[in-house]
Amino acid sequence: MRVLTLILSITFSSLAVAALTDNQETRVQTVSRIKLTPEELVWLSRHKTVRVGFDSDFPPYSFVGESGQIEGVAIDIIKVISERLSINIEVVPYNTWNELYDAAATKNIDAVATMVDRPERREWFNFTQPYLSKSLVIIARKDIKGINSRADVAGKTVALIRNYQYVDRVLEEFPSLTPFFVDSITEGLESVDTGKAEAFIGFSGVGYFLSQRGLFPSLKVVTFYDHNSANESIAVRKDWPILADILHKGLDSLSADEKQDIFDKWVPQAEPIVDFAFIAKLLGAMLIVLILLISWLIQIRRQNKKIELSNQDALLANKKLQELQMELEALVAQRTSELRVSEQKFRSLVENLQDEYFFYRQDPEGKFTYVSPSVTSILGFSQDEFKANFKDYLSDNPANQEIEEKLAQCVQGHLQPLYQIEIYHANGDLHWLELLNTPVYNEKGDCVGVDTIAHDITARREAQEILTSLSYYDELTGLANRRLFSDRLQQTLNLAHRNKWSVSLFYLDLDRFKSVNDSYGHSAGDEVLKETAKRMVSVLRDSDVAARMGGDEFLLLLPETDAYSAIRVAEKLLKILLLPYYVDEHILTLGASIGVAVYPEHTTDGETLINYADTAMYSAKEKKLGYAFYTKEMQELQVSQAQLAEDLVKAVRFSLLNEKNEFSAGSVKCPTSQFSLYYQTYHSLTNNQIVGYEALIRWNHPVLGAIGPIDFLPLAEEKGYIGSITQWMFNQVCTQLLIWNSEGVRPPKMSVNLALSEINTPNWAGKILTQLEQLKVNPAWFTIDLKESAFLNDGMALTPEISLLKEAGVTVCIDDFGGQTFTDLKSLAELPVDLIKLDRRLLRNIPGDTESVKFIQDVIRIAMPVGKAVVAKGIETQDQLDTLQKYGCGCGQGFLFCKPLPGNEVQAFTKSLQWFLN
């Protein structure tokens, strides 16, 4: 008995000394100065404001307090970090977790203050280290009896928060439990307080916060349900990993005392919870050790008695006793090690997780030594079948090729992240497993095996595939959307380039579709669009791609299809789309117009290919041809692309040799140049006044006649003559502006377009300003239009050049915004431009095209608060104008106001504008 007392005294004294030492070490921790890299400092100087989202119903971590402002533990910690890093944190509260998560995933905010780091979320976010720990507790009324441990919730009515991850685990563990679902923690506590539920399972910090603030005095925390069930980190948008590193350093700068002070501010010290089940396990383990020690002492005592009774030599007897003692100590150490390994094994087992997890162990050579019984409920195989035939059950998926390498690295002591494999179920279905390998060591520190926890994530992957489908496919028709089509088009053109294929692209528009919406309603129109999609797909091959661009316009991509084959497909489409449509009780006959462009005959650029097909579609619709190729007119004139390029070179050289122009009143005439300039006005949509002009170049080909810029400027850029044409345009525009200015009709602004290759040259802005200075033209008269594609890779890289223009008084505009290129609305407010000109294709089908209308609304909503004006191009109808005015678009341009006119006619038009508008 004295020995037992001595052992217990030594044990608890050691624990107390260790705890005191740990406490003293924690107290001497100090906050180190935050050291940021030069890259991080530059990044912070460019991003003074970071938008951080908070869950406004997550006390005490973040919630709306009595003052109406969001406050709590997470708010205070973020504020401390922001002060130390000199970051302006914009607090963005959200009412629900789903709203917060969606906002973060779509980058409407830059970071989320509290989010659990899960593998599936790393696709969208970068995470700091965890800085908040949460445990699940059971909360009940103080006067209730029968709930003293987690096992007591069986058969009870328990409040659970809807859609929280732990709910499924609770229901699986206690199937007899009756769930009472609530939407928030506060609602859960109220349900227990009012007797609707007998208990509530929620997070410990939240429960203590609400109860100790006097909100629920009749409630108490009974016991833990799960220790440290979730650790909260700061989640940062995926494309800003450097911000995650900066915030990580900010969190590291907080000392343990600072964190505790913040936490104590919102959650005072609560009465400790006695976890009798955990204490029982601990006492059981200690009891086993004590029994072994007592057994060892008994053995020693027996040996001593034998020695005392023995007449052998004392020295020999003492030596034998020492040898026996060493053997017994080794035996105790071995038994203790076996006990530790056994405990580790059984703690790793996850049979209680039913149909989602199973466990297995392999030796260093990969041979299975143990498989948990739950493998049968998950994959349908017995334990012996899984051990013997594991490799045979694996599919041919490339993801399975790394299994042996992962096992070998784990045996060598390298920690492995979660990875996924694909395996067959006994019924033939494919399942996805997420694996976590952990090495197992003996008392000598040698790896003797690998423990693996297998998680069946088949349902989760299926859900992810559904979300992916919604992101890349049109919801109404099931066809690809703009984003997916743009991606597939680029992939197809890359393959065509390597394999020397022809690729045909169709731009298809339904005839008389507007009359369907006007006569029978949009629901009838939706049925027509869905039926049209089905008919098109029935004609196409599996390798072809069909996409809906909006309204009744569709794009079709046909790999390995030349012009001859494209004709047959177009004829089939026109024939099947002429068949009657049966909508409700109505029989409708529509038809379609198709424009065709072919790679590489027409162009090697994907967006240009779409533009060419679009142009051909309008030609087919206007001439009622059914279908038309973009090159048909050029083929009829027998002018080859090579000949056109040669003619363009001559026209450029001829124009540059004749810089001395002859002038007439109000305009510039260049009789020896094949190029000419036209001017189109753009107007305020508030009072219809002219606010500027756009200079448009035309090529007067001696054989083909007038050629628009879309038909020859890409060729000029390809041949390297775009710079010379731009220089000529600037000279002509500047001369025209000086004439108008002298006659008192100078416009407020003159827009000139720059090609992408122009802005890729060094000091392009300085060259423009030098040319204006040489011509003695005020830079404030000019607006420089840059294509949206110039900002795709890194729009901020253009900032120094654009700033040079703006400092001189030049207005800078992003042109054709929202066209076929995938547009990033989130960065729109940060682009260093003054004007945003919408692509004319967005207006083509409004107000009926709800997708385009919403896009225009979003652009106006983002641009106007930061002082960027929005100009709508291509206004041709009163309906389009009314829609734009309704949503607050500032300026507009199009045939409804004025067609492009030469300089002398623009002056006459301006003088008669009031009469024209009336």
Side-chain angles (χ1 to χ4, degrees):
M1 191 64 187
R2 271 184 253 160
V3 174
L4 177 60
T5 303
L6 179 60
I7 292 172
L8 289 173
S9 299
I10 293 173
T11 301
F12 290 118
S13 299
S14 300
L15 292 173
V17 170
L20 180 59
T21 302
D22 291 342
N23 188 40
Q24 291 173 344
E25 291 177 352
T26 302
R27 290 180 179 274
V28 299
Q29 289 180 350
T30 58
V31 178
S32 61
R33 184 171 177 267
I34 300 176
K35 296 182 180 179
L36 299 180
T37 65
E39 291 80 2
E40 291 170 340
L41 292 172
V42 170
W43 192 94
L44 285 177
S45 69
R46 295 180 178 176
H47 300 80
K48 286 297 185 181
T49 300
V50 177
R51 302 165 299 174
V52 180
F54 291 81
D55 187 348
S56 60
D57 189 20
F58 191 35
Y61 307 106
S62 56
F63 64 99
V64 177
E66 295 177 358
S67 63
Q69 300 296 318
I70 191 160
E71 54 189 23
V73 176
I75 286 285
D76 287 356
I77 290 178
I78 294 297
K79 284 182 178 178
V80 172
I81 294 174
S82 69
E83 292 172 359
R84 294 185 179 180
L85 295 174
S86 298
I87 301 176
N88 180 27
I89 298 295
E90 179 183 348
V91 176
V92 184
Y94 287 87
N95 293 329
T96 66
W97 168 251
N98 288 336
E99 291 178 356
L100 174 59
Y101 190 90
D102 291 343
T106 56
K107 300 179 183 175
N108 287 331
I109 55 176
D110 305 317
V112 177
T114 53
M115 184 184 294
V116 178
D117 182 359
R118 304 194 193 285
E120 68 272 13
R121 294 176 178 170
R122 293 174 187 166
E123 181 180 355
W124 303 97
F125 304 103
N126 297 295
F127 289 87
T128 67
Q129 85 275 26
Y131 70 101
L132 294 175
S133 296
K134 301 181 300 183
S135 298
L136 286 174
V137 295
I138 301 172
I139 300 174
R141 289 180 60 87
K142 294 179 179 179
D143 56 356
I144 194 170
K145 298 180 179 179
I147 300 180
N148 298 309
S149 67
R150 69 196 306 271
D152 293 335
V153 298
K156 301 294 192 302
T157 300
V158 178
L160 302 171
I161 301 177
R162 186 179 286 105
N163 295 330
Y164 270 39
Q165 190 175 21
Y166 75 87
V167 172
D168 293 338
R169 180 157 49 89
V170 172
L171 296 177
E172 289 173 358
E173 185 173 3
F174 299 101
S176 64
L177 178 150
T178 301
F180 182 84
F181 291 108
V182 296
D183 294 322
S184 68
I185 294 174
T186 303
E187 187 179 342
L189 293 172
E190 288 175 350
S191 66
V192 178
D193 192 37
T194 57
K196 295 180 181 178
E198 296 171 87
F200 168 58
I201 297 178
F203 296 115
S204 58
V206 180
Y208 283 129
F209 174 81
L210 295 177
S211 61
Q212 293 191 12
R213 289 244 169 157
L215 299 179
F216 300 98
S218 63
L219 303 184
K220 67 174 181 178
V221 178
V222 177
T223 185
F224 281 101
Y225 183 85
D226 193 359
H227 292 275
N228 295 329
S229 59
N231 294 323
E232 300 286 344
S233 303
I234 300 176
V236 180
R237 52 191 285 183
K238 192 64 177 180
D239 59 340
W240 284 8
I242 190 171
L243 177 57
D245 295 337
I246 293 171
L247 294 176
H248 188 103
K249 293 179 179 180
L251 289 173
D252 285 343
S253 72
L254 293 173
S255 67
D257 289 340
E258 286 177 310
K259 293 180 182 178
Q260 189 61 47
D261 290 342
I262 292 173
F263 194 83
D264 290 343
K265 172 184 174 182
W266 298 101
V267 185
Q269 293 296 324
E271 180 181 347
I273 303 172
V274 180
D275 194 336
F276 294 100
F278 177 77
I279 293 175
K281 292 181 180 179
L282 181 61
L283 290 176
M286 292 180 62
L287 182 60
I288 293 174
V289 174
L290 288 174
I291 292 174
L292 292 174
L293 290 173
I294 292 171
S295 299
W296 174 65
L297 292 173
I298 293 173
Q299 292 292 331
I300 293 295
R301 191 171 183 179
R302 289 178 179 175
Q303 291 298 328
N304 286 337
K305 288 182 178 181
K306 291 181 180 179
I307 292 173
E308 291 174 357
L309 298 175
S310 175
N311 294 322
Q312 296 179 2
D313 185 81
L315 183 61
L316 180 61
N318 185 52
K319 183 178 179 180
K320 289 184 178 180
L321 179 60
Q322 290 178 353
E323 291 176 352
L324 180 60
Q325 183 178 353
M326 292 175 61
E327 291 175 0
L328 289 173
E329 289 176 350
L331 177 62
V332 171
Q334 179 182 353
R335 295 295 301 273
T336 303
S337 175
E338 291 174 353
L339 180 63
R340 187 182 302 112
V341 171
S342 177
E343 182 181 0
Q344 181 182 359
K345 171 182 175 181
F346 285 102
R347 284 186 179 182
S348 301
L349 296 179
V350 289
E351 282 83 351
N352 58 328
L353 296 176
Q354 297 181 356
D355 298 329
E356 196 173 353
Y357 292 83
F358 67 93
F359 167 90
Y360 60 82
R361 173 172 291 178
Q362 296 168 277
D363 62 21
E365 287 71 38
K367 181 180 179 181
F368 287 86
T369 59
Y370 176 81
V371 178
S372 64
S374 53
V375 69
T376 304
S377 60
I378 295 174
L379 295 178
F381 303 113
S382 68
Q383 294 165 270
D384 292 337
E385 289 174 338
F386 186 84
K387 287 181 181 180
N389 305 304
F390 170 75
K391 292 184 179 180
D392 296 334
Y393 298 151
L394 295 173
S395 71
D396 295 329
N397 195 300
N400 296 336
Q401 296 176 0
E402 298 181 359
I403 295 177
E404 293 183 0
E405 178 64 21
K406 296 284 186 183
L407 181 66
Q409 291 182 0
C410 188
V411 171
Q412 293 173 8
H414 302 300
L415 295 178
Q416 299 298 307
L418 291 167
Y419 63 100
Q420 299 176 4
I421 66 171
E422 190 181 59
I423 192 169
Y424 284 100
H425 189 278
N427 61 12
D429 294 339
L430 284 171
H431 279 232
W432 279 93
L433 301 178
E434 190 175 67
L435 305 182
L436 176 63
N437 293 340
T438 305
V440 179
Y441 299 97
N442 60 15
E443 64 274 12
K444 298 180 181 179
D446 299 325
C447 182
V448 295
V450 175
D451 284 349
T452 300
I453 295 178
H455 180 196
D456 186 356
I457 59 169
T458 306
R460 189 178 80 193
R461 284 185 64 99
E462 290 174 353
Q464 289 174 343
E465 290 174 0
I466 293 174
L467 291 176
T468 301
S469 175
L470 294 175
S471 300
Y472 288 97
Y473 293 90
D474 179 58
E475 185 176 358
L476 177 65
T477 62
L479 300 179
N481 61 15
R482 292 185 184 186
R483 181 179 183 184
L484 179 58
F485 186 86
S486 177
D487 181 67
R488 294 293 172 81
L489 173 60
Q490 191 57 51
Q491 292 179 13
T492 301
L493 295 185
N494 291 340
L495 286 173
H497 175 71
R498 289 197 295 268
N499 300 317
K500 301 192 182 305
W501 293 343
S502 289
V503 179
S504 293
L505 189 146
F506 288 9
Y507 206 120
L508 185 148
D509 181 83
L510 292 179
D511 296 335
R512 300 178 292 279
F513 177 76
K514 187 175 185 299
S515 63
V516 175
N517 281 334
D518 294 342
S519 302
Y520 306 106
H522 288 284
S523 60
D526 289 347
E527 292 302 317
V528 169
L529 292 175
K530 289 190 283 188
E531 177 62 24
T532 299
K534 292 179 182 177
R535 294 184 185 184
M536 289 192 303
V537 171
S538 69
V539 173
L540 301 179
R541 304 165 298 183
D542 292 341
S543 59
D544 300 334
V545 179
R548 179 179 176 228
M549 301 305 290
D552 61 334
E553 295 183 343
F554 300 87
L555 282 177
L556 307 179
L557 182 63
L558 284 66
E560 299 184 77
T561 303
D562 56 17
Y564 177 75
S565 301
I567 293 175
R568 290 184 294 171
V569 178
E571 289 173 346
K572 289 181 181 179
L573 287 169
L574 293 173
K575 182 177 180 181
I576 197 170
L577 294 178
L578 274 174
L579 297 176
Y581 288 80
Y582 298 91
V583 180
D584 296 330
E585 299 177 357
H586 309 290
I587 301 177
L588 310 175
T589 302
L590 300 181
S593 298
I594 302 173
V596 186
V598 182
Y599 168 96
E601 285 82 353
H602 299 152
T603 180
T604 59
D605 179 69
E607 186 170 343
T608 305
L609 199 67
I610 295 175
N611 292 335
Y612 285 175
D614 187 12
T615 302
M617 183 271 291
Y618 272 91
S619 176
K621 184 180 287 287
E622 180 181 357
K623 299 177 182 178
K624 302 187 184 301
L625 298 174
Y627 69 89
F629 283 81
Y630 174 76
T631 57
K632 183 175 182 180
E633 182 178 356
M634 296 167 59
Q635 289 173 344
E636 290 174 353
L637 294 172
Q638 297 181 350
V639 178
S640 67
Q641 191 79 356
Q643 183 63 49
L644 190 65
E646 183 178 343
D647 293 345
L648 179 61
V649 171
K650 292 179 181 179
V652 172
R653 291 176 176 174
F654 203 59
S655 297
L656 294 177
L657 289 174
N658 293 274
E659 280 293 331
K660 292 185 177 181
N661 302 314
E662 298 179 8
F663 307 111
S664 65
S667 69
V668 180
K669 298 177 64 178
C670 306
T672 55
S673 175
Q674 294 181 13
F675 298 118
S676 61
L677 291 183
Y678 281 67
Y679 302 91
Q680 186 173 23
T681 59
Y682 57 96
H683 299 250
S684 167
L685 298 188
T686 304
N687 53 24
N688 291 326
Q689 291 183 355
I690 295 176
V691 294
Y693 291 85
E694 181 176 4
L696 304 170
I697 191 170
R698 298 288 187 273
W699 178 18
N700 301 308
H701 193 280
V703 178
L704 300 178
I707 300 178
I710 193 174
D711 296 319
F712 73 88
L713 287 183
L715 183 61
E717 190 166 7
E718 179 182 343
K719 298 299 180 181
Y721 281 92
I722 192 68
S724 299
I725 293 176
T726 302
Q727 180 182 353
W728 181 88
M729 280 187 64
F730 266 102
N731 289 341
Q732 302 304 308
V733 170
C734 289
T735 305
Q736 183 70 80
L737 284 172
L738 291 172
I739 293 174
W740 282 348
N741 187 51
S742 66
E743 297 181 359
V745 292
R746 175 182 57 81
K749 288 288 183 181
M750 177 66 72
S751 294
V752 177
N753 288 276
L754 284 189
L756 185 61
S757 59
E758 289 285 304
I759 65 174
N760 286 332
T761 60
N763 193 31
W764 58 270
K767 294 176 182 177
I768 292 175
L769 295 177
T770 300
Q771 186 176 3
L772 295 180
E773 182 179 1
Q774 292 172 349
L775 296 171
K776 298 181 180 180
V777 175
N778 186 355
W781 294 354
F782 271 89
T783 296
I784 300 299
D785 290 356
L786 306 176
K787 292 293 184 183
E788 179 189 4
S789 55
F791 297 87
L792 285 182
N793 294 329
D794 184 6
M796 294 305 169
L798 299 175
T799 300
E801 298 284 343
I802 293 177
S803 298
L804 188 64
L805 292 175
K806 295 174 72 172
E807 289 173 3
V810 178
T811 300
V812 181
C813 170
I814 181 171
D815 196 18
D816 293 335
F817 188 77
Q820 301 297 340
T821 306
F822 178 63
T823 301
D824 183 10
L825 279 175
K826 301 179 186 64
S827 62
L828 178 59
E830 301 175 1
L831 293 179
V833 298
D834 307 295
L835 289 177
I836 298 148
K837 288 187 179 181
L838 299 173
D839 191 278
R840 64 181 64 251
R841 282 169 292 195
L842 293 170
L843 274 64
R844 185 172 294 159
N845 295 307
I846 69 168
D849 185 355
T850 55
E851 182 179 352
S852 294
V853 170
K854 184 179 184 304
F855 181 86
I856 294 172
Q857 286 181 266
D858 290 340
V859 172
I860 295 172
R861 175 179 55 80
I862 295 171
M864 292 189 66
V866 293
K868 302 182 191 300
V870 179
V871 180
K873 297 172 61 175
I875 303 176
E876 299 179 359
T877 68
Q878 187 65 38
D879 286 343
Q880 293 172 341
L881 178 60
D882 292 341
T883 301
L884 294 167
Q885 290 174 331
K886 174 182 177 182
Y887 296 113
C889 183
C891 301
Q893 179 184 27
F895 286 3
L896 184 64
F897 297 105
C898 177
K899 295 182 179 181
L901 300 172
N904 57 341
E905 294 184 26
V906 168
Q907 180 178 354
F909 167 75
T910 304
K911 293 179 179 179
S912 63
L913 182 62
Q914 190 60 43
W915 173 86
F916 174 82
L917 292 177
N918 289 336

